[in-house]
Amino acid sequence: DVQLVESGGGSVQAGESLRLSCAGYGYRYSDLAVGWFRKTPGKEREGVASIANDGNTVYLDSVKGRFTISEDSAEHAVYLQMNALQPEDTAMYYCALGYRFGGYCQLQEDYYTSWGQGTQVTVS
């Protein structure tokens, strides 16, 4: 079974940084994408960033230049480096395993089939 485990969330002040980690088990990364999503109460879950093992990435406009997604295939891990965090980044962050469309990573959750339990990020 596919298993995704997030870690690295926490409470920080505006302007500070956090690095989220997603450890994956039970799948071959080869042609798949791993994405980070976030959810706040009362809002739809939104895709933040996604990466495939050929280096293809995609980012939500509001995090471009602040967040960086990376992967370590040997460790079966995907990371989300979040810099210059703002209160509006406060959310539960999830990693998910999914498929690309036309060779490109996607931010729509319909493309993702397996999800982690989430890690909370709070920015004040």
Side-chain angles (χ1 to χ4, degrees), residues 33 52 56-58 99-106 111:
N56 181 244
T57 58
V58 62
Y99 298 91
R100 297 192 273 181
F101 181 75
Y104 295 97
C105 297
Q106 305 294 321
Y111 289 94

Side-chain angles (χ1 to χ4, degrees), residues 3 8 12 16 20 22 27 35 37 39 42 58 68 70-71 74 78 80 82 84 86 89 97-98 106 108 110 121:
Q3 192 174 11
V12 296
E16 294 184 341
L20 304 183
C22 174
Y27 65 89
F37 291 75
K39 176 80 170 66
V58 62
T68 303
S70 61
E71 57 90 17
V78 172
L80 186 67
M82 305 186 296
Q86 300 300 314
D89 296 315
L97 181 69
Q106 305 294 321
Q108 295 83 7
D110 290 348
V121 171

